[in-house]
Amino acid sequence: MTAPAIAVGDLLGKLDAGEPLLVLDVRNAQEFAAWRIEGRRAVETLNVPYFTFLEEPEPVLARLPRNRSIVAVCAEGGSSAMVVELLRDAGLAAVNLEGGMAAYADHLDATRVPLGEPAPPSLELWQVRRRARGCLSYVVRAGAAAAVVDPSRHVAWYEDFVARLGARIVLVLDTHVHADHLSGGRALAERSGAPYAVGASAAAPAATIAALGLRALATPGHTPEGASFVCGGRCLLSGDTLLVGGVGRPDLGGEALAWGRELHRSLHGRLADLDDDVVVLPAHTSGAGEVRSDGIVGRALGALRGLPEFVLEPADVFAHAVAARVVAAPPSYDRIVRANREGTSVPSDVAATWETGPNHCAVRSRPPGASVETP
Amino acid sequence: MNKTILDVRGAKCPVPIVKAKQALDRLPPGALLEVLSTDAGSVADFQGWAATSKVAVLEAQRTDSDDTGRAIYVHQLRRKD
């Protein structure tokens, strides 16, 4: 007998829509403490490891709700399927999360970002969110041509998405060498026959970039090669230079003060001519609390210009303050940086173990999870 | 003392613990069961299960490797009285 299942995209849709359901996470307590399913709203979650059901399920069954659906979740979907069968035998409305947390970790979804004037109506911008990792990437479409910025390693997803838009990938960009996740940029470019550039590279094809309504700005600081891209004159794909809750961390190269001074120059010099109402769209988010009610992670540049660390002057004071506030580096970041820089192909099961834990790309002004609704 | 070997290499959760529970149910009190698993998640799962189980005591865990270098997680359990 196969337990009835729900796909991860359907579950996240129900959670974001506020449908009342209980997520029953049957992994062990350590794995549950490390990470869990997040929604735009608070997710009602209960952790009862699957082995608890093997000997004395009755006390647990008595605690479970009978007035709403239960979605059982485990690492890969095997143990939760067993629990679902047991719950259904006891008369509870339970379904299994297909593929478990592994499927959740790989799930991407896209939200269209409104551009408006002065962007031409033919220009389309999509924010792609990998919810489990807080990674954000972008698809820019101008007619039949599309660019992908900061793609994750799930290259087939981007190929399908762009094909469904009726476009062809003609350009792949990474704003910088990522430290928290493996880039899909090089692989996607090779498969599409499109040029690929990382950061503010002289190799970047200027004419193609301009044809897609993009303008490149060198914004070193988080990393030396870092770039940001103005899209349609309305949005800034800021990479990890500037995020919705703070500025990028300058310490991952072991030269936090020097890179911090560069970051200050980028924020105050190279972004200076952008209007306050330009919407900053970063490469990472620190959690569901940063997602606006329209589903987008973004914030007006003018609001970010008022952040406490943004206004620190001069550059040395800024650099010292930012360097003093960095948190633990992403796990495996040195291996990830090397693989992204050298273009090494990493098998997906190995990649999944490198890409664990929170991304920690920002030096934050507010605690993660705090609500950010300001556009 | 004799021990029973349960080989669940290649099986993913929940199989190692489900089979270990079935094996212990058939063994007399005090008997030893050694479980061989290739599932890395089984290490924490056996600890969690044994912490509340009425049939299993977890006496030791170790990691071996087979000829191909694949990790084998070995869990030594005793049937409770």
Side-chain angles (χ1 to χ4, degrees):
Chain A
M1 179 181 136
T2 311
I6 183 170
V8 63
D10 295 336
L11 171 62
L12 296 175
K14 285 172 188 283
L15 290 173
D16 287 350
E19 254 187 63
L21 50 83
L22 174 72
V23 172
L24 177 64
D25 194 319
V26 302
R27 295 173 300 154
N28 65 53
Q30 287 162 266
E31 289 175 33
F32 177 70
W35 64 307
R36 67 179 77 172
I37 288 178
E38 280 193 69
R40 198 179 299 166
R41 306 151 194 260
V43 177
E44 190 194 353
T45 309
L46 185 65
N47 178 222
V48 183
Y50 68 91
F51 39 77
T52 311
F53 292 88
L54 292 177
E55 295 188 26
E56 272 198 354
E58 293 78 12
V60 184
L61 293 175
R63 281 168 63 202
L64 295 174
R66 294 191 165 262
N67 60 350
R68 54 199 186 279
S69 302
I70 298 169
V71 179
V73 178
C74 71
E76 293 180 17
S79 300
S80 50
M82 177 190 80
V83 170
V84 163
E85 289 183 22
L86 204 140
L87 297 187
R88 294 182 76 90
D89 287 348
L92 293 159
V95 293
N96 186 31
L97 177 65
E98 206 173 339
M101 293 300 283
Y104 176 65
D106 286 338
H107 181 72
L108 305 175
D109 53 41
T111 308
R112 186 158 175 194
V113 182
L115 284 170
E117 297 287 323
S122 59
L123 192 66
E124 247 176 57
L125 174 62
W126 296 82
Q127 181 177 64
V128 180
R129 182 156 69 109
R130 186 179 176 196
R131 189 182 305 224
R133 297 281 314 132
C135 296
L136 302 169
S137 53
Y138 297 89
V139 173
V140 184
R141 175 199 172 189
V148 184
V149 181
D150 288 329
S152 70
R153 59 190 163 81
H154 311 88
V155 294
W157 188 94
Y158 297 93
E159 291 171 339
D160 290 348
F161 183 77
V162 170
R164 274 187 279 120
L165 291 179
R168 194 169 64 84
I169 297 172
V170 299
L171 176 66
V172 182
L173 301 168
D174 268 313
T175 51
H176 63 289
V177 179
H178 293 281
D180 67 297
H181 68 275
L182 289 155
S183 167
R186 198 179 311 253
L188 187 59
E190 278 170 12
R191 284 164 60 141
S192 313
Y196 172 58
V198 182
S201 154
T208 312
I209 289 175
L212 282 149
L214 296 170
R215 179 161 68 93
L217 296 172
T219 50
H222 172 64
T223 62
E225 78 291 340
S228 300
F229 297 94
V230 182
C231 178
R234 299 294 310 138
C235 292
L236 181 72
L237 311 185
S238 60
D240 289 350
T241 298
L242 188 54
L243 302 101
V244 300
V247 300
R249 61 186 299 166
D251 62 303
L252 292 176
E255 298 175 60
L257 291 179
W259 290 19
R261 284 188 286 267
E262 276 292 331
L263 184 61
H264 183 271
R265 226 184 328 273
S266 291
L267 297 175
H268 293 276
R270 295 175 181 102
L271 301 184
D273 67 335
L274 298 179
D275 291 339
D276 276 350
D277 62 356
V278 164
V279 178
V280 172
L281 301 169
H284 289 94
T285 165
S286 299
E290 289 184 342
V291 182
R292 301 189 321 209
S293 54
D294 62 0
I296 293 165
V297 177
R299 205 169 177 199
L301 181 56
L304 292 169
R305 281 174 170 151
L307 290 181
E309 68 273 15
F310 203 107
V311 298
L312 288 173
E313 295 286 357
D316 268 333
V317 171
F318 170 87
H320 276 99
V322 168
R325 300 234 323 263
V326 297
V327 294
S332 303
Y333 81 97
D334 43 353
R335 289 186 288 192
I336 292 175
V337 165
R338 202 176 318 125
N340 282 340
R341 185 172 288 138
E342 293 168 6
T344 321
S345 168
V346 180
S348 61
D349 56 333
V350 177
T353 65
W354 289 7
E355 292 177 341
T356 52
N359 64 59
H360 290 327
C361 291
V363 176
R364 299 188 55 76
S365 296
R366 65 192 74 231
S371 179
V372 178
E373 280 291 331
T374 338
Chain B
M1 185 175 181
N2 286 342
K3 66 180 175 191
T4 306
I5 303 285
L6 173 66
D7 184 353
V8 288
R9 287 177 292 178
K12 292 187 169 185
C13 65
V15 174
I17 288 187
V18 169
K19 292 259 171 99
K21 162 86 167 51
Q22 289 169 352
L24 283 176
D25 283 342
R26 288 191 296 265
L27 289 170
L32 282 174
L33 176 71
E34 193 165 273
V35 183
L36 311 180
S37 172
T38 47
D39 179 7
S42 68
V43 176
D45 284 359
F46 270 94
Q47 292 167 7
W49 175 47
T52 56
S53 174
K54 289 195 161 56
V55 297
V57 179
L58 182 61
E59 300 217 312
Q61 289 179 306
R62 65 172 196 275
T63 307
D64 291 347
S65 63
D66 67 9
D67 297 344
T68 66
R70 181 174 64 159
I72 310 294
Y73 305 94
V74 183
H75 314 281
Q76 287 186 11
L77 301 161
R78 186 182 294 278
R79 172 76 153 95
K80 267 193 184 168
D81 295 335

